[in-house]
Structures are given as structure tokens and as C-alpha cells.
Amino acid sequence: MKLVKLIANLGYGSRKEVAWMFREGRITDADGEVLYADDKLPHERIRVDGEPLDPPPGLLLMLHKPVGYTCSRKDAGRLVYDLLPPRYRRREPALSTVGRLDRDTSGLLLLTDDGALLHRIIAPKAQVTKLYEATLAGDLKGHEGGLFASGTLLLESETTPLAPARLEVLGPRHVRLAVTEGRYHQVRRMFAATGNRVETLHRAAIGALGLDGLAPGQWRALQADEAARIFA
Ligand code: URA
């Protein structure tokens, strides 16, 4: 791929703008040698304004989503994309969230530009466990663990029962819940089905991948071995 297209696809600017960046000498190799649009060299040797290029396509990021941010590209209000460098929103192929977290849910959110990987993570048959921590408005009644594990719970307006989910009770109004599906507002609706209400919801892990000390609003790219933990 031509350097102009490669750099434009990473969101640094339109092809025309990137062509200007070459003219202005802002694109160099690792030794500071000015590059031309038709030069060919490995991705890791390219610098823009002296900084290494963003990672090539095949990107997988983890983000600690804070409460109040929406998993959408164009809603009004705060978007998870606002937490990433602005050019990440202009990348081609586009960076998408792997499933969604509600605006009022915090925790581990993955983003990728690899459509096949995205589908591998969210496909029900992949059985990737999503681990949530919730606080509840009312005390647990005692039947919730059995009901969620039964594989028979039918959420309102649905025709297929939920797959079994594992509940761990941490306190009268504090739980951990491991689910393998990703239905709309699933955890909130599961507790609504028991006559309760989720007050706070946080996703602590996807598969064996946790937040690893990432503070709310922080993100980082994942290496292949970390990505493998999703399926561990
Ligand atoms: N279940 C929910 O109800 N909300 C989320 O954000 C994630 C799972």
C-alpha cells in the first residue's frame, strides 16, 4: 500500500492532507530522513512529526469505560471514542466497540478494527464469559442464583431463555455475575426479572482478561498473548 494511503487510513488526515505532510517534511524514517509519498519501508520505521506511527490494522484496545460515556459514534454527549486520540475515530478499517456497555455501566470495554476477531468474541457459541459486579437497590431474595443457573429464565419480550449464568453473592445487595451472552441490558433485565433493580454495574473481566489496574478513562493496545486471554 502507498504510504499516503497507509497514513491517511490511520486517521492522520485525508490523502490530500497527508500528501501535504510529506511536502512539509513531517514524515520521516526512524533516523529523521525525510520520506516521499512513494517510498517503501516497514511500518515500524515510519515517524510522523518524530513520533512512531499508530499501530497498523489488526488493532485491539482495552478501555476502562467510565460511567456517563456512550458506546456509539454519534450520540449527543460523551462517547467512548472521546477517550481515544481523535484520529482513532477516522481509522480505516473503522475501530468498533466489541459489544456495548450501557452509558451507566463502567468497566472493561474492547475495541477492534478486526471484524473477524470481533465476531469471534461476541458469537454466542464462543461462550466467552463476561464478569460483572453489581450493587442492587433491594436485598437478594435467595432464589436468584438458582434461577440464573437454570437456563430457563426468559427475559421480557424474548422467546429464547437465557443460557445458564453464575451468580456469586458478595453481600445482601452486592453480587458478581458471570454471563456468556450479551443481550440488550442483560444484567439489568435479569435482576428486573427477580423484582430487583441494578444500581451500579461494572464489567470486571472478559474471559480471563481483567482491567489490570487500568484507571477509569484509560486505555491501551493489547498484545497477541493478552488477546488470547479473552478465550482462555
Ligand atoms: N448488562 C447490562 O444490563 N448492561 C450492560 O452495560 C452490560 C450488561
Side-chain angles (χ1 to χ4, degrees):
M1 187 187 296
K2 290 223 164 82
L3 276 187
V4 172
K5 182 159 187 247
L6 174 97
I7 295 172
N9 282 357
L10 293 174
Y12 286 85
S14 64
R15 286 197 209 182
K16 205 165 154 189
E17 286 162 345
V18 173
W20 267 109
M21 291 164 74
F22 276 98
R23 287 271 162 250
E24 290 168 348
R26 294 171 56 193
I27 301 176
T28 63
D29 70 9
D31 304 318
E33 202 60 42
V34 169
L35 293 176
Y36 287 82
D38 55 356
D39 285 341
K40 289 197 170 47
L41 76 168
H43 195 105
E44 64 278 7
R45 298 252 331 139
I46 304 168
R47 302 286 180 272
V48 176
D49 297 328
E51 298 293 323
L53 266 192
D54 289 342
L59 187 59
L60 176 65
L61 306 179
M62 66 187 253
L63 167 73
H64 185 160
K65 179 193 168 300
V67 165
Y69 285 76
T70 307
C71 293
S72 149
R73 283 179 198 288
K74 46 180 186 274
D75 265 27
R78 292 171 174 78
L79 308 178
V80 291
Y81 292 96
D82 297 339
L83 299 164
L84 303 174
R87 64 176 174 266
Y88 276 49
R89 203 183 313 207
R90 300 191 293 263
R91 282 175 68 107
E92 240 354 287
L95 199 56
S96 304
T97 64
V98 179
R100 289 179 168 219
L101 289 177
D102 301 335
R103 194 171 68 89
D104 294 331
T105 303
S106 61
L108 178 57
L109 181 70
L110 300 173
L111 294 104
T112 186
D113 59 7
D114 181 339
L117 175 64
L118 187 153
H119 285 107
R120 223 155 48 85
I121 299 171
I122 63 173
K125 76 168 195 295
Q127 296 260 309
V128 171
T129 302
K130 274 76 68 176
L131 183 67
Y132 292 92
E133 245 188 80
T135 59
L136 306 168
D139 286 357
L140 290 161
K141 299 181 178 101
H143 70 302
E144 293 87 348
L147 178 64
F148 294 165
S150 70
T152 62
L153 176 59
L154 202 55
L155 294 178
E156 207 179 289
S157 75
E158 294 202 0
T159 52
T160 324
L162 288 178
R166 195 181 66 250
L167 183 76
E168 187 186 345
V169 177
L170 304 173
R173 296 184 180 193
H174 189 193
V175 294
R176 245 186 233 131
L177 180 63
V179 304
T180 56
E181 297 168 290
R183 300 199 203 181
Y184 182 66
H185 292 331
Q186 180 168 337
V187 176
R188 293 176 202 276
R189 290 164 74 211
M190 286 171 78
F191 281 99
T194 71
N196 211 330
R197 186 168 54 78
V198 168
E199 228 160 42
T200 67
L201 186 59
H202 175 81
R203 183 155 68 192
I206 299 176
L209 181 72
L211 275 163
D212 242 356
L214 212 59
Q218 286 187 338
W219 64 275
R220 66 179 176 80
L222 291 173
Q223 305 307 315
D225 57 324
E226 296 178 294
R229 281 162 54 194
I230 295 167
F231 302 101

